[in-house]
Amino acid sequence: MAKLNRTAAVDVADSYAVRLMQHLVVPTFVIDPTRRVVIWNRACERLTGVAASEVIGTSKHWQAFYETKRPCLADLVALDRPEQLPEFYPEYAARGHNGLGFSAENWCVMPKLGNQLYLAIDAGPIHDEAGNLIAVVETLRDLTDQKRAETALKELATKDGLTGLSNRRSFDQTLMSEWTRAQRTQKPLALLFADVDHFKLFNDEHGHQTGDECLRAVAGVVSRHAGRPLDLASRYGGEEFALILPDMSYEGACAIAEEIRRAVMALGIVHGAHGAGSHVTLSVGVASHVPRETDSAPDRLLGAADQALYAAKRLGRNRVVCSERALAEFADLGRADVPVSGQVPGSAPRKSA
């Protein structure tokens, strides 16, 4: 009789637990050890747009969050696979085995809703008295607005307000990190400095508003040539732009610089100020270097690109000068002011700010 009373009490407790979970304001679902859904509460229905009847008794809970099949966090807990967390989640924490579960964050595509949500996810196992897994509970929090606000603030901190390119601060940080990576991989790192020719005269002739429009147009050209994931186009300052090209050969960087120069000419922006050409043009300096282990900072690369840009200006503007050929081009013109050491006169290597 006592045993029956205990069984009845457990059944009542279980029914209360299920009802409580169903009415929680926190989106929650539960899977059994075979990873089939046993509970899909109302808040989870509202969050995902998927009715409980569509997933209860199935292993199709992933379809509420993703377009292609992949494990949810609860699945990784059920399988005890913490080593797979980095494969599926950019942000995660494994809080221990057989008791504490995992936490993670990521963007979910939410196929039923037709929009993406950034979710914070917690999943924890439930064991019986013998230590056997009987269920995994996953809870979800919608952090989309918070994540978008963080992204917007980050963009404000790293983007140039006029052109939308990365700003000087972002350039300095990226150059240093890519320099360090190039030291480790022993692959070349290329850098382009591009300067709008006679821009002060352009502003004087056409006004600052038109000058801003000109810079935005040139920025668009530079940005289009930062086509790979690690490339970075930035506004270095004033009318000067910079392009970081990791794992880029010297020849490849020079070819891209020439493409940018030609594309700016093709914009057909009328200049016409006295002492300038008929249309806006660009001078570009290019450098590429494989960092040595003893190179603690990218000063050599910055200095070489700066010198090449200086040479492009001195040679008549509207041209690309690659650092390895800069002195040869000066020598061909018979310029007496080129020092034997190789430092282009009047230039100074740029320092990261």
Side-chain angles (χ1 to χ4, degrees):
M1 183 68 177
K3 183 177 181 180
L4 288 175
N5 287 338
R6 284 198 300 272
T7 301
V10 169
D11 290 341
V12 170
D14 286 346
S15 67
Y16 275 128
V18 171
R19 289 180 185 178
L20 176 63
M21 200 167 291
Q22 288 288 3
H23 291 281
L24 278 177
V25 295
V26 178
T28 304
F29 69 88
V30 181
I31 61 173
D32 65 18
T34 67
R35 295 156 55 205
R36 294 182 180 274
V37 178
V38 294
I39 295 175
W40 189 268
N41 76 356
R42 293 172 184 175
C44 201
E45 289 182 317
R46 290 191 294 270
L47 177 72
T48 64
V50 175
S53 59
E54 297 179 53
V55 290
I56 294 291
T58 77
S59 298
K60 297 179 179 179
H61 44 291
W62 63 268
Q63 294 179 350
F65 307 100
Y66 308 105
E67 291 180 327
T68 57
K69 189 173 183 179
R70 50 152 285 177
C72 295
L73 194 64
D75 297 308
L76 296 183
V77 171
L79 296 168
D80 195 21
R81 298 272 178 80
E83 71 277 3
Q84 288 189 285
L85 285 168
E87 181 181 348
F88 297 104
Y89 297 97
E91 302 286 341
Y92 64 88
R95 299 177 309 215
H97 296 278
N98 301 322
L100 296 177
F102 308 149
S103 294
E105 295 180 9
N106 75 332
W107 284 100
C108 299
V109 297
M110 314 302 289
K112 278 276 188 171
L113 300 179
N115 65 306
Q116 290 192 337
L117 296 180
Y118 189 81
L119 301 180
I121 310 161
D122 292 284
I126 299 174
H127 298 91
D128 62 17
E129 293 180 356
N132 301 310
L133 180 71
I134 57 175
V136 178
V137 180
E138 179 167 313
T139 59
L140 307 146
R141 286 176 292 141
D142 183 359
L143 299 182
T144 307
D145 291 342
Q146 177 182 326
K147 186 65 175 180
R148 286 177 177 158
E150 289 175 0
T151 301
L153 286 172
K154 185 177 180 180
E155 287 187 356
L156 284 175
T158 60
K159 297 293 184 183
D160 173 61
L162 176 64
T163 65
L165 298 182
S166 296
N167 60 17
R168 176 66 181 277
R169 176 185 178 186
S170 180
F171 168 86
D172 290 337
Q173 292 174 341
T174 301
L175 182 63
M176 193 65 224
S177 65
E178 288 302 326
W179 180 263
T180 302
R181 191 173 72 87
Q183 276 184 316
R184 185 174 65 253
T185 62
Q186 284 299 284
K187 292 184 177 180
L189 177 62
L191 176 63
L192 277 61
F193 278 137
D195 190 87
V196 180
D197 295 325
H198 297 297
F199 186 70
K200 183 179 184 305
L201 295 178
F202 183 91
N203 266 342
D204 293 342
E205 180 75 13
H206 300 284
H208 288 279
Q209 183 174 347
T210 305
D212 288 348
E213 293 171 359
C214 172
L215 291 178
R216 280 192 286 266
V218 173
V221 171
V222 176
S223 179
R224 287 196 297 273
H225 288 80
R228 303 173 305 165
L230 295 179
D231 295 346
L232 183 81
S234 63
R235 185 183 181 195
Y236 194 78
E239 67 272 23
E240 190 171 352
F241 301 90
L243 184 58
I244 298 173
L245 299 170
D247 302 340
M248 177 67 70
S249 69
Y250 182 78
E251 293 78 12
C254 291
I256 288 175
E258 180 61 21
E259 289 176 8
I260 292 172
R261 187 193 69 82
R262 290 177 180 272
V264 168
M265 287 187 65
L267 293 174
I269 302 172
V270 175
H271 198 309
H274 180 70
S278 59
H279 292 83
V280 169
T281 59
L282 203 65
S283 296
V284 189
V286 183
S288 182
H289 183 58
V290 178
R292 299 187 299 260
E293 291 184 5
T294 55
D295 294 331
S296 59
D299 290 350
R300 177 177 176 180
L301 183 66
L302 285 161
D306 190 38
Q307 291 171 15
L309 176 59
Y310 176 86
K313 292 289 189 180
R314 290 291 299 271
L315 287 166
R317 297 181 172 85
N318 188 24
R319 68 189 63 222
V320 172
V321 171
C322 301
S323 60
E324 292 184 9
R325 297 198 296 265
L327 290 180
E329 295 194 28
F330 267 101
D332 288 343
L333 292 178
R335 294 182 180 272
D337 58 350
V338 179
V340 176
S341 65
Q343 174 72 34
V344 175
S347 68
R350 298 178 184 272
K351 303 293 183 183
S352 296

